[in-house]
Amino acid sequence: MNSKITVFGSFVVDLMGRSPHLPVPGETVKGSIFKMGAGGKGFNQAVAAHKAGADVTMITKLGRDTFANVALDTMKELGMDTGHLFYNETEGTGIALIIVDENTSQNEIVVVSGSCNTITKEDIKTVEDVIKASKYVLLQFEVNADANERVINFAHENGVKVVLNTAPVQPIEDSLLAKVDIVTPNEVEAEALTGICVDSLEAAKKAAKVFFDKGVKEVVITLGSRGVFISSNGREEIVPSFKVDAIDTTGAGDAFNGGFLAALAEGKDVWEAARFASALAALSVQRLGTTPAMPTREEIDQFLKEHSA
Ligand code: ATP
Ligand code: RIB
């Protein structure tokens, strides 16, 4: 059975500081902890899926700088394939400035995508074989839009299932959305893309219908600590999250997406996959950081065993 996943997306270095409150414009706040680590939605999702046991190829574009080593070191340490990385000789590796409120665990993020926003059609040509050999390709909106468009078109033409995590949200042509098999917005992104405020199960169903009318096949809307709404083959339900003490929810969506794909690639149905992904995300929000917060497969299995009732 083909269980390969290609993650086509961003790598950036996360520069995270914790603060007693999120600063208002013009305010300087004395923070407590600072951490630098691997991040970027694409990279976080790839690491989450890899640590969950999936066969993952990460495709991204780095700069020729020391921040690129954060990606390479992390991938080597985790035993990930580093053979499909592009380099920009002049544009630096991207970064994200992240502030996490130490009381509420809410965050503010500015992401500067840098080199991973410069993926060319020539770059993509060199990884067509990898994409074609995959069961799923998972994308986000943190790289240049024309690169995503090429990959979605190529994957769709070659029978590879396309999963689009619409973060950070931006407009997408209906003709491209029609080639997406599974869309995974959070509630804010779902509202931006459908015009429907997802504040109830009924509203989530309406938002899903907007996506279905555009040709998407399955809809997964993450709802933070409330869980995740899924509409698949006529069944529409919320899979609740696990109750845990969150200290940093940055990257919860990435944890969920990586876990969801890993489980789907193993052959689990969307409902089982959502439970697995929710466990992975619940473990990740109890740790600081994004990529470094992703749990191992053993930890996920143990967590699910402990929460089986
Ligand atoms: P981010 O942008 O911070 O990465 P997101 O908005 O894309 O996150 P969310 O909807 O906040 O994603 O969360 C994704 C999933 O993570 C949820 O569906 C849920 O399963 C899990 N999750 C998020 N927050 C919590 C929490 N506080 N406790 C337990 N699980 C959580
Ligand atoms: O989803 C979390 C990620 O968004 C962070 O790792 C940061 O890099 C931003 O891109």
Side-chain angles (χ1 to χ4, degrees):
M1 184 184 78
N2 179 8
S3 55
K4 285 185 184 300
I5 301 168
T6 291
V7 179
F8 182 82
S10 56
F11 170 81
V12 306
V13 172
D14 284 351
L15 305 167
M16 189 275 288
R18 275 165 77 81
S19 159
H21 64 266
L22 299 177
V24 296
E27 183 185 11
T28 300
V29 182
K30 267 182 99 173
S32 47
I33 299 166
F34 168 75
K35 273 191 189 300
M36 182 175 98
K41 293 182 190 300
F43 198 82
N44 294 339
Q45 294 179 17
V47 168
H50 171 80
K51 289 186 77 176
D55 180 357
V56 182
T57 301
M58 174 72 206
I59 301 176
T60 190
K61 193 159 186 168
L62 305 173
R64 293 286 184 192
D65 50 24
T66 50
F67 279 171
N69 294 335
V70 178
L72 295 170
D73 292 348
T74 305
M75 293 174 93
K76 283 180 193 150
E77 192 185 310
L78 296 174
M80 292 173 78
D81 169 18
T82 55
H84 301 91
L85 302 171
F86 314 128
Y87 288 88
N88 187 316
E89 300 302 325
T90 51
E91 185 79 38
T93 305
I95 57 100
L97 305 172
I98 304 176
I99 306 168
V100 179
D101 183 320
E102 60 200 16
N103 295 304
T104 65
S105 90
Q106 281 183 310
N107 61 51
E108 275 179 358
I109 303 179
V110 174
V111 60
V112 182
S113 295
S115 50
C116 67
N117 207 36
T118 67
I119 302 174
T120 64
K121 64 171 188 263
E122 291 75 26
D123 291 332
I124 294 168
K125 268 257 156 257
T126 67
V127 291
E128 281 185 354
D129 286 352
V130 176
I131 297 169
K132 208 169 169 174
S134 305
K135 182 171 184 186
Y136 291 97
V137 62
L138 172 61
L139 308 97
Q140 316 73 29
F141 278 145
E142 238 170 27
V143 300
N144 44 309
D146 59 323
N148 268 352
E149 188 177 335
R150 278 178 211 289
V151 170
I152 292 173
N153 280 322
F154 180 81
H156 181 73
E157 277 161 23
N158 287 280
V160 179
K161 286 203 169 163
V162 175
V163 182
L164 179 65
N165 174 230
T166 52
V169 73
Q170 52 178 279
I172 176 167
E173 293 288 333
D174 285 354
S175 57
L176 196 58
L177 204 48
K179 295 172 184 165
V180 170
D181 293 280
I182 309 178
V183 71
T184 67
N186 67 11
E187 50 204 317
V188 175
E189 295 147 13
E191 179 172 359
L193 293 169
T194 65
I196 290 162
C197 170
V198 184
D199 54 3
S200 65
L201 178 61
E202 285 317 304
K205 289 180 185 176
K206 282 188 191 143
K209 182 159 186 325
V210 175
F211 284 121
F212 290 137
D213 289 347
K214 294 182 186 204
V216 175
K217 302 205 179 48
E218 290 176 293
V219 176
V220 174
I221 305 177
T222 61
L223 308 167
S225 58
R226 287 186 292 133
V228 56
F229 165 83
I230 297 189
S231 182
S232 169
N233 292 319
R235 182 173 160 195
E236 301 191 293
E237 282 171 32
I238 290 175
V239 176
S241 71
F242 292 95
K243 300 288 160 258
V244 293
D245 287 327
I247 60 161
D248 181 3
T249 60
T250 319
D254 300 334
F256 182 90
N257 275 276
F260 190 62
L261 264 282
L264 288 181
E266 268 179 25
K268 291 186 167 51
D269 68 23
V270 288
W271 305 99
E272 280 180 277
R275 190 171 153 76
F276 180 87
S278 303
L280 196 163
L283 284 162
S284 78
V285 299
Q286 296 175 78
R287 298 171 184 168
L288 290 183
T290 54
T291 285
M294 301 306 171
T296 61
R297 179 60 179 252
E298 292 68 34
E299 289 172 322
I300 303 164
D301 287 343
Q302 181 62 29
F303 183 91
L304 282 167
K305 216 161 125 191
E306 286 165 9
H307 293 77
S308 60

PDB file of all heavy atoms in Angstrom, residues 125-141:
ATOM      1  N   LYS A 125       9.761  21.236 -10.901  1.00  0.00           N
ATOM      2  CA  LYS A 125      10.049  20.199 -11.919  1.00  0.00           C
ATOM      3  C   LYS A 125      10.921  19.096 -11.327  1.00  0.00           C
ATOM      4  O   LYS A 125      10.742  17.914 -11.615  1.00  0.00           O
ATOM      5  CB  LYS A 125      10.802  20.833 -13.093  1.00  0.00           C
ATOM      6  CG  LYS A 125       9.903  21.318 -14.186  1.00  0.00           C
ATOM      7  CD  LYS A 125       9.925  20.319 -15.358  1.00  0.00           C
ATOM      8  CE  LYS A 125       8.693  20.370 -16.211  1.00  0.00           C
ATOM      9  NZ  LYS A 125       7.726  19.347 -16.051  1.00  0.00           N
ATOM     10  N   THR A 126      11.894  19.499 -10.472  1.00  0.00           N
ATOM     11  CA  THR A 126      12.853  18.515  -9.954  1.00  0.00           C
ATOM     12  C   THR A 126      12.239  17.579  -8.905  1.00  0.00           C
ATOM     13  O   THR A 126      12.874  16.595  -8.536  1.00  0.00           O
ATOM     14  CB  THR A 126      14.098  19.205  -9.335  1.00  0.00           C
ATOM     15  OG1 THR A 126      13.679  19.920  -8.156  1.00  0.00           O
ATOM     16  CG2 THR A 126      14.777  20.169 -10.299  1.00  0.00           C
ATOM     17  N   VAL A 127      11.049  17.895  -8.411  1.00  0.00           N
ATOM     18  CA  VAL A 127      10.446  17.027  -7.379  1.00  0.00           C
ATOM     19  C   VAL A 127       9.138  16.383  -7.866  1.00  0.00           C
ATOM     20  O   VAL A 127       8.408  15.784  -7.076  1.00  0.00           O
ATOM     21  CB  VAL A 127      10.190  17.801  -6.054  1.00  0.00           C
ATOM     22  CG1 VAL A 127      11.504  18.150  -5.381  1.00  0.00           C
ATOM     23  CG2 VAL A 127       9.356  19.054  -6.289  1.00  0.00           C
ATOM     24  N   GLU A 128       8.892  16.486  -9.166  1.00  0.00           N
ATOM     25  CA  GLU A 128       7.642  15.920  -9.684  1.00  0.00           C
ATOM     26  C   GLU A 128       7.525  14.419  -9.397  1.00  0.00           C
ATOM     27  O   GLU A 128       6.452  13.925  -9.073  1.00  0.00           O
ATOM     28  CB  GLU A 128       7.543  16.187 -11.191  1.00  0.00           C
ATOM     29  CG  GLU A 128       7.091  17.606 -11.479  1.00  0.00           C
ATOM     30  CD  GLU A 128       6.858  17.898 -12.951  1.00  0.00           C
ATOM     31  OE1 GLU A 128       7.158  17.032 -13.807  1.00  0.00           O
ATOM     32  OE2 GLU A 128       6.394  19.005 -13.249  1.00  0.00           O
ATOM     33  N   ASP A 129       8.659  13.709  -9.519  1.00  0.00           N
ATOM     34  CA  ASP A 129       8.615  12.259  -9.292  1.00  0.00           C
ATOM     35  C   ASP A 129       8.212  11.927  -7.850  1.00  0.00           C
ATOM     36  O   ASP A 129       7.483  10.962  -7.612  1.00  0.00           O
ATOM     37  CB  ASP A 129       9.988  11.625  -9.582  1.00  0.00           C
ATOM     38  CG  ASP A 129      10.256  11.562 -11.082  1.00  0.00           C
ATOM     39  OD1 ASP A 129       9.315  11.868 -11.857  1.00  0.00           O
ATOM     40  OD2 ASP A 129      11.389  11.229 -11.462  1.00  0.00           O
ATOM     41  N   VAL A 130       8.738  12.735  -6.935  1.00  0.00           N
ATOM     42  CA  VAL A 130       8.421  12.508  -5.515  1.00  0.00           C
ATOM     43  C   VAL A 130       6.930  12.742  -5.273  1.00  0.00           C
ATOM     44  O   VAL A 130       6.256  11.961  -4.590  1.00  0.00           O
ATOM     45  CB  VAL A 130       9.244  13.478  -4.621  1.00  0.00           C
ATOM     46  CG1 VAL A 130       8.864  13.339  -3.165  1.00  0.00           C
ATOM     47  CG2 VAL A 130      10.712  13.232  -4.810  1.00  0.00           C
ATOM     48  N   ILE A 131       6.421  13.815  -5.836  1.00  0.00           N
ATOM     49  CA  ILE A 131       5.000  14.137  -5.636  1.00  0.00           C
ATOM     50  C   ILE A 131       4.135  13.032  -6.256  1.00  0.00           C
ATOM     51  O   ILE A 131       3.192  12.537  -5.627  1.00  0.00           O
ATOM     52  CB  ILE A 131       4.660  15.522  -6.245  1.00  0.00           C
ATOM     53  CG1 ILE A 131       5.459  16.614  -5.522  1.00  0.00           C
ATOM     54  CG2 ILE A 131       3.159  15.808  -6.165  1.00  0.00           C
ATOM     55  CD1 ILE A 131       5.415  17.981  -6.175  1.00  0.00           C
ATOM     56  N   LYS A 132       4.517  12.632  -7.452  1.00  0.00           N
ATOM     57  CA  LYS A 132       3.748  11.611  -8.182  1.00  0.00           C
ATOM     58  C   LYS A 132       3.707  10.281  -7.424  1.00  0.00           C
ATOM     59  O   LYS A 132       2.735   9.540  -7.501  1.00  0.00           O
ATOM     60  CB  LYS A 132       4.433  11.397  -9.540  1.00  0.00           C
ATOM     61  CG  LYS A 132       3.530  10.940 -10.639  1.00  0.00           C
ATOM     62  CD  LYS A 132       4.313  11.049 -11.929  1.00  0.00           C
ATOM     63  CE  LYS A 132       3.612  10.385 -13.063  1.00  0.00           C
ATOM     64  NZ  LYS A 132       4.326  10.632 -14.322  1.00  0.00           N
ATOM     65  N   ALA A 133       4.769   9.977  -6.702  1.00  0.00           N
ATOM     66  CA  ALA A 133       4.850   8.697  -5.982  1.00  0.00           C
ATOM     67  C   ALA A 133       4.127   8.745  -4.629  1.00  0.00           C
ATOM     68  O   ALA A 133       4.110   7.749  -3.906  1.00  0.00           O
ATOM     69  CB  ALA A 133       6.319   8.331  -5.768  1.00  0.00           C
ATOM     70  N   SER A 134       3.551   9.899  -4.292  1.00  0.00           N
ATOM     71  CA  SER A 134       2.922  10.045  -2.969  1.00  0.00           C
ATOM     72  C   SER A 134       1.450   9.686  -3.016  1.00  0.00           C
ATOM     73  O   SER A 134       0.796   9.791  -4.050  1.00  0.00           O
ATOM     74  CB  SER A 134       3.034  11.502  -2.492  1.00  0.00           C
ATOM     75  OG  SER A 134       4.373  11.905  -2.511  1.00  0.00           O
ATOM     76  N   LYS A 135       0.943   9.305  -1.838  1.00  0.00           N
ATOM     77  CA  LYS A 135      -0.502   9.089  -1.729  1.00  0.00           C
ATOM     78  C   LYS A 135      -1.194  10.423  -1.459  1.00  0.00           C
ATOM     79  O   LYS A 135      -2.265  10.703  -1.976  1.00  0.00           O
ATOM     80  CB  LYS A 135      -0.772   8.108  -0.580  1.00  0.00           C
ATOM     81  CG  LYS A 135      -2.224   7.769  -0.390  1.00  0.00           C
ATOM     82  CD  LYS A 135      -2.386   6.641   0.600  1.00  0.00           C
ATOM     83  CE  LYS A 135      -3.840   6.226   0.719  1.00  0.00           C
ATOM     84  NZ  LYS A 135      -4.014   5.221   1.782  1.00  0.00           N
ATOM     85  N   TYR A 136      -0.528  11.238  -0.625  1.00  0.00           N
ATOM     86  CA  TYR A 136      -1.079  12.552  -0.274  1.00  0.00           C
ATOM     87  C   TYR A 136      -0.021  13.633  -0.445  1.00  0.00           C
ATOM     88  O   TYR A 136       1.151  13.399  -0.140  1.00  0.00           O
ATOM     89  CB  TYR A 136      -1.475  12.600   1.213  1.00  0.00           C
ATOM     90  CG  TYR A 136      -2.658  11.750   1.568  1.00  0.00           C
ATOM     91  CD1 TYR A 136      -2.473  10.477   2.107  1.00  0.00           C
ATOM     92  CD2 TYR A 136      -3.954  12.208   1.381  1.00  0.00           C
ATOM     93  CE1 TYR A 136      -3.562   9.681   2.449  1.00  0.00           C
ATOM     94  CE2 TYR A 136      -5.047  11.420   1.715  1.00  0.00           C
ATOM     95  CZ  TYR A 136      -4.837  10.164   2.250  1.00  0.00           C
ATOM     96  OH  TYR A 136      -5.923   9.397   2.583  1.00  0.00           O
ATOM     97  N   VAL A 137      -0.458  14.806  -0.866  1.00  0.00           N
ATOM     98  CA  VAL A 137       0.398  15.989  -0.755  1.00  0.00           C
ATOM     99  C   VAL A 137      -0.332  16.984   0.156  1.00  0.00           C
ATOM    100  O   VAL A 137      -1.530  17.219   0.011  1.00  0.00           O
ATOM    101  CB  VAL A 137       0.783  16.592  -2.133  1.00  0.00           C
ATOM    102  CG1 VAL A 137      -0.415  17.063  -2.923  1.00  0.00           C
ATOM    103  CG2 VAL A 137       1.769  17.737  -1.961  1.00  0.00           C
ATOM    104  N   LEU A 138       0.416  17.489   1.131  1.00  0.00           N
ATOM    105  CA  LEU A 138      -0.148  18.403   2.129  1.00  0.00           C
ATOM    106  C   LEU A 138       0.482  19.783   1.947  1.00  0.00           C
ATOM    107  O   LEU A 138       1.708  19.908   1.938  1.00  0.00           O
ATOM    108  CB  LEU A 138       0.158  17.853   3.538  1.00  0.00           C
ATOM    109  CG  LEU A 138      -0.156  18.722   4.742  1.00  0.00           C
ATOM    110  CD1 LEU A 138      -1.652  19.043   4.835  1.00  0.00           C
ATOM    111  CD2 LEU A 138       0.272  18.000   6.042  1.00  0.00           C
ATOM    112  N   LEU A 139      -0.370  20.798   1.786  1.00  0.00           N
ATOM    113  CA  LEU A 139       0.128  22.161   1.546  1.00  0.00           C
ATOM    114  C   LEU A 139      -0.507  23.143   2.530  1.00  0.00           C
ATOM    115  O   LEU A 139      -1.573  22.872   3.090  1.00  0.00           O
ATOM    116  CB  LEU A 139      -0.211  22.643   0.128  1.00  0.00           C
ATOM    117  CG  LEU A 139       0.169  21.761  -1.038  1.00  0.00           C
ATOM    118  CD1 LEU A 139      -1.030  20.914  -1.469  1.00  0.00           C
ATOM    119  CD2 LEU A 139       0.635  22.568  -2.236  1.00  0.00           C
ATOM    120  N   GLN A 140       0.131  24.287   2.669  1.00  0.00           N
ATOM    121  CA  GLN A 140      -0.405  25.408   3.464  1.00  0.00           C
ATOM    122  C   GLN A 140      -0.250  26.662   2.598  1.00  0.00           C
ATOM    123  O   GLN A 140       0.113  26.563   1.441  1.00  0.00           O
ATOM    124  CB  GLN A 140       0.371  25.584   4.785  1.00  0.00           C
ATOM    125  CG  GLN A 140       0.665  24.292   5.541  1.00  0.00           C
ATOM    126  CD  GLN A 140       1.753  23.452   4.886  1.00  0.00           C
ATOM    127  OE1 GLN A 140       2.634  24.006   4.233  1.00  0.00           O
ATOM    128  NE2 GLN A 140       1.691  22.138   5.024  1.00  0.00           N
ATOM    129  N   PHE A 141      -0.489  27.815   3.206  1.00  0.00           N
ATOM    130  CA  PHE A 141      -0.410  29.067   2.435  1.00  0.00           C
ATOM    131  C   PHE A 141       0.819  29.901   2.808  1.00  0.00           C
ATOM    132  O   PHE A 141       0.784  31.117   2.699  1.00  0.00           O
ATOM    133  CB  PHE A 141      -1.651  29.918   2.687  1.00  0.00           C
ATOM    134  CG  PHE A 141      -2.864  29.544   1.861  1.00  0.00           C
ATOM    135  CD1 PHE A 141      -4.132  29.655   2.411  1.00  0.00           C
ATOM    136  CD2 PHE A 141      -2.756  29.123   0.552  1.00  0.00           C
ATOM    137  CE1 PHE A 141      -5.269  29.358   1.664  1.00  0.00           C
ATOM    138  CE2 PHE A 141      -3.880  28.815  -0.205  1.00  0.00           C
ATOM    139  CZ  PHE A 141      -5.135  28.928   0.357  1.00  0.00           C
TER     140      PHE A 141
END
